[in-house]
Amino acid sequence: MNKSMIGLLTAILAVSSLMSCKNSSQEQPVKKVVIYGTISNYEQDTLFMDDYTSNYKYLEANTHKIPLNKNNEFSYTFTLEEPRYFKISRTYLYLSPGDSLEMKLDTGSRADAIFKGQGADANNYLRSLPYPKGGSFFGELRDRDLKLKSKEEMVGTFKPILDEKLTQVQELTNVSNTFKELETARLYLEYANTLESSGYLYYSDYYQKKITEDEMNAKIADAETYLTPYIVETYKKIDYNNVDYLQFEVFQGSIFTLNNDEYITKNNLTPLNNELKDYIRASNLKYAFTRQGYTKEFLDYYNEEIVKIKEKKYIGSLTKELDKYKLLKPGSPAPQITFTNLKGEEIPLSTFHGKVVVIDLWATWCGPCMVEKPYYEALVEKYKDNDNIVLLAVSIDTHKVWTNYFTKEKEKGIQLHINRSDLAAYQIYSIPRFFVIDKDQNIVDVYAPLPSTGKLEEMFKEIL
């Protein structure tokens, strides 16, 4: 073969190789998601987007922190391997690799959100999702000006709403079949949750003292007996052993109902599979983390339950959680944080070195916090002249809400503010939370008892 022929073949092979690489590159799916837009009625400089699929399905906390400019505008790009559900404030999102989505969000209502671009149809649909903790379809009564007086009316009232919503899902365009299948299952779960929420029929009469608590409970039990066949019929319409449903808030309640062996046998339902049973054990352990922290009692419970879990993904998730909570065990150095006072001055936790520090973590929107407030303020008053201790009231409200609160309310003790995002090391999942930190800035307990029990005072008195 002469040199010119060899040269020609080499060139052809090179071009062929380049074309092959190009085609291979073109076939790779785009795994980036771009979201941009604005958010109204929001007063922080960072937007928090919770990965619901990660948080619920995989039990791994994952929150995207999205910077906002002074006009509450944002633009954010991230990698996504699979379609997932997310949540920003009250707004649910369904994002898929390749989406490029313009958003106009409002923290006051997800129904007012507007989406445009690739992925818009699925997200515009999600604006109409009911609130599971509010009894799901019960919110439709108000929106549709419907009245409901008895358990017998529940099926006749809510079943047409379910059918209407099922049709709406099937008529969606520019969404995947997977999305339709998931949202269809969600609607059945919401409907079952609605029928399981018959107590809403009687709460008003109870609070208005028209019926006693015993009478209310008897009515609820009677309604449950009547509605159970309809609930069971609904569960039979879906494969509730599908772990993808774990992404739904409403399914978190359903799996505990379906994990009752007596309920399953009596109603001829399929038992939960082993993966979901493992999920329930893991979920219970994770909840215990958030309530108890790294204590001997918790560790005894953890060691007893972890050996029962076989799914490696849940074991891995719990191991990561345990490592985070180890940092909060009694005797560990308290993670350093910085507060702001009403004058706008920064106050580091280290300012109080040499004193026992007690912290009440609260917010104006937190009902239980406001219940505990008088008890804590009584301790503030009692120990105000004791130089060995300082009691701080630390709000996680928005700064504007916090400062406005004290234009109407009198300051009692030391009032400070902190953004919730700055408390990440303390694993804050709910409030009220009370901290006790010793004079050397070591943790005594960051899951300290409520002041109303009297045990909080007992705890800090031991180290004064």
Side-chain angles (χ1 to χ4, degrees), residues 430-459:
S430 63
I431 53 173
R433 275 272 295 274
F434 292 87
F435 301 173
V436 178
I437 297 168
D438 70 18
K439 296 178 182 180
D440 296 319
Q441 299 268 285
N442 294 319
I443 292 172
V444 176
D445 195 343
V446 291
Y447 294 86
L450 298 174
S452 60
T453 66
K455 295 181 179 179
L456 178 65
E457 183 178 15
E458 291 176 11
M459 178 177 286

Side-chain angles (χ1 to χ4, degrees), residues 151-166:
K151 63 182 186 295
E152 290 83 5
E153 295 178 353
M154 286 186 67
V155 174
T157 300
F158 292 121
K159 182 61 166 57
I161 294 175
L162 169 65
D163 292 339
E164 177 186 317
K165 290 178 176 291
L166 288 171

Side-chain angles (χ1 to χ4, degrees), residues 116-128:
K116 296 178 181 179
Q118 178 68 32
D121 293 290
N123 289 284
N124 280 320
Y125 165 77
L126 292 177
R127 295 178 305 179
S128 63

Side-chain angles (χ1 to χ4, degrees), residues 137 140 144 155 157-169 183-192 194-195 234 237:
F137 293 167
E140 298 281 343
R144 299 170 185 244
V155 174
T157 300
F158 292 121
K159 182 61 166 57
I161 294 175
L162 169 65
D163 292 339
E164 177 186 317
K165 290 178 176 291
L166 288 171
T167 299
Q168 184 183 0
V169 169
E183 290 305 317
T184 295
R186 190 209 294 262
L187 287 172
Y188 280 117
L189 290 166
E190 298 283 9
Y191 178 61
T194 302
L195 298 185
T234 304
K237 290 182 181 293

Side-chain angles (χ1 to χ4, degrees), residues 257-271:
T257 298
L258 295 165
N259 195 39
N260 184 315
D261 291 339
E262 182 181 348
Y263 183 88
I264 290 292
T265 302
K266 182 179 179 180
N267 294 294
N268 194 29
L269 288 166
T270 302

